[in-house]
């Protein structure tokens, strides 16, 4: 796990340097500051409705990345069997994913490409939190998450840009019934909620 983290950091630094070199050659045409607001229209690992968004602040300085924040939340419901009496019980899990991300805007003659990487952990007040409820007993689990994303935008009048985005969230599978509060009486239910959030949004430049 430590080697994977070191590799991810090296990859992020290499990408930042490469994109920074491109941004340096294009900074003369960049806006002074831009505000990005994106709405999540879907998450690939969610069984139904999703509450998600992404926001960011852009600047024209080369090499220095822009900063943003991503959020996605959804509810998963199912029924499981209680081995003690073979009865069916309702299991509801609310998963919330939060990340802080760094990104670069790469202007092209017609479109703008945005690429970025993010991370979330409990000590950063971000990360993944799953709240599982079985028979009115609630338990929560937390873990860290890595994010990689891109946006493709179409600018208008050098002040407004409309874009589509895809944010991939990666984290380990979660055993949502692994809790002392459930007294170990329920079968193991592992969930893999890694997936991608599709977004639509706008950037306004000042």
């Amino acid at each position: 796990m430590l080697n994977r983290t070191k590799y991810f950091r090296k990859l992020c630094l290499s990408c930042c340097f490469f994109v920074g070199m491109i941004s340096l050659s294009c900074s003369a045409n960049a806006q002074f500051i831009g505000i990005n607001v994106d709405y999540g229209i879907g998450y690939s690992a969610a069984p139904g409705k999703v509450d998600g968004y992404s926001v960011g602040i852009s600047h024209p300085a080369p090499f220095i990345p822009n900063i943003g924040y991503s959020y996605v939340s959804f509810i998963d419901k199912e029924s499981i069997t209680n081995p003690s009496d073979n009865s069916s019980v309702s299991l509801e899990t609310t998963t919330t994913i939060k990340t802080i991300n760094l990104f670069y805007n790469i202007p092209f003659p017609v479109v703008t490409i945005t690429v970025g990487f993010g991370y979330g952990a409990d000590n950063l007040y971000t990360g993944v939190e799953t709240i599982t409820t079985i028979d009115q007993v609630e338990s929560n689990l937390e873990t860290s998450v890595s994010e990689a994303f891109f946006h493709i935008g179409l600018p208008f009048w050098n002040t407004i840009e409309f874009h589509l985005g895809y944010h991939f969230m990666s984290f380990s599978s979660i055993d949502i019934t692994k809790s002392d509060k459930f007294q170990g009486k329920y079968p193991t239910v592992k969930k893999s909620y890694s997936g991608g959030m599709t977004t639509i949004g706008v950037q306004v430049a000042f």
Side-chain angles (χ1 to χ4, degrees):
M1 184 66 180
L2 183 61
N3 291 334
R4 290 180 60 187
T5 302
K6 289 181 178 179
Y7 175 78
F8 182 75
R9 289 176 180 172
K10 289 180 180 179
L11 179 62
C12 290
L13 289 174
S14 299
C15 290
C16 287
F17 177 78
F18 175 74
V19 177
M21 292 295 291
I22 298 176
S23 299
L24 180 62
S25 63
C26 302
S27 61
N29 296 323
Q31 73 277 2
F32 177 70
I33 192 168
I35 306 296
N36 307 321
V37 179
D38 296 80
Y39 174 73
I41 58 176
Y43 185 74
S44 60
K49 183 181 177 181
V50 170
D51 179 18
Y53 64 86
S54 177
V55 294
I57 299 177
S58 302
H59 60 79
F63 295 106
I64 302 175
N66 307 295
I67 190 167
Y69 177 85
S70 298
Y71 171 95
V72 59
S73 179
F74 56 90
I75 297 176
D76 189 4
K77 296 181 179 181
E78 63 180 289
S79 296
I80 60 174
T81 301
N82 185 345
S84 61
D85 56 7
N86 289 325
S87 63
S88 179
V89 294
S90 176
L91 183 153
E92 179 178 304
T93 302
T94 301
T95 301
T96 303
I97 307 169
K98 305 174 185 177
T99 64
I100 297 173
N101 52 62
L102 302 176
F103 63 93
Y104 284 99
N105 297 318
I106 310 173
F108 286 91
V110 178
V111 299
T112 297
I113 305 295
T114 299
V115 292
F117 299 92
Y119 184 74
D122 183 50
N123 60 345
L124 298 174
Y125 301 101
T126 53
V128 180
E129 180 184 32
T130 58
I131 301 176
T132 302
T133 304
I134 303 177
D135 276 354
Q136 299 182 345
V137 178
E138 187 176 282
S139 173
N140 71 302
L141 298 171
E142 296 178 350
T143 188
S144 59
V145 56
S146 298
E147 175 189 21
F149 70 91
F150 70 91
H151 293 170
I152 300 177
L154 187 62
F156 292 89
W157 308 295
N158 294 322
T159 57
I160 298 177
E161 174 193 296
F162 297 97
H163 50 254
L164 296 173
Y166 187 81
H167 297 245
F168 180 73
M169 310 290 188
S170 178
F171 51 96
S172 57
S173 299
I174 301 172
D175 184 354
I176 58 178
T177 57
K178 185 180 180 181
S179 172
D180 294 336
K181 294 182 179 180
F182 297 144
Q183 303 175 354
K185 62 181 181 180
Y186 298 108
T188 298
V189 179
K190 279 196 172 184
K191 293 288 187 176
S192 178
Y193 288 130
S194 294
M197 177 175 66
T198 303
T199 62
I200 56 174
V202 63
Q203 175 179 277
V204 180
F206 299 94

